[in-house]
Amino acid sequence: VSLAAAAVRAQVEQAASLETTEGTSITIKCSHPNIRTGDFIHFYRQLPGQKPELLAVTAKAPKDVRAPQGRLSVSDDRRSSALRLGWPRRGDAAVYYCALGP
């Protein structure tokens, strides 16, 4: 499973790409050192040939993600976040975006 990550705003940084084997968990990390008080952390997934789909949004509390199965967590200082995919499959190969916003 090949996953790509992309930064939506200049204040957000992600690894350019990540790879794992089918069924092996993977964590997509996002750094946002200049996050503002009112900002929420958004994770999106864009499958090939499709529009981006929202996976999860949070200010700080961990969020479970249904499809693909995973969990979004945020550091105590809110300067980083991580989307862990527990059992990625070939169909989960996509571009994963992290963004900040209202």
Side-chain angles (χ1 to χ4, degrees):
V1 178
S2 182
L3 308 174
V8 175
R9 285 170 61 177
Q11 298 135 318
V12 173
E13 294 178 13
Q14 291 178 260
S17 65
L18 300 169
E19 288 188 24
T20 188
T21 55
E22 191 168 19
T24 302
S25 67
I26 191 167
T27 301
I28 302 168
K29 296 179 181 178
C30 183
S31 174
H32 28 81
N34 299 319
I35 191 168
R36 296 176 295 202
T37 303
D39 281 341
F40 284 80
I41 301 153
H42 304 246
F43 262 88
Y44 295 86
R45 171 175 78 167
Q46 187 171 14
L47 295 166
Q50 296 186 22
K51 295 179 181 179
E53 64 176 312
L54 182 63
L55 297 177
V57 178
T58 188
K60 187 166 183 171
K63 292 284 182 177
D64 288 329
V65 178
R66 290 182 178 212
Q69 182 183 353
R71 186 164 178 86
L72 172 58
S73 58
V74 181
S75 65
D76 288 340
D77 63 6
R78 293 188 358 113
R79 292 177 186 226
S80 64
S81 56
L83 176 63
R84 182 180 182 276
L85 304 180
W87 299 96
R89 296 182 225 155
R90 286 189 193 274
D92 296 321
V95 177
Y96 289 78
Y97 297 92
C98 170
L100 300 178

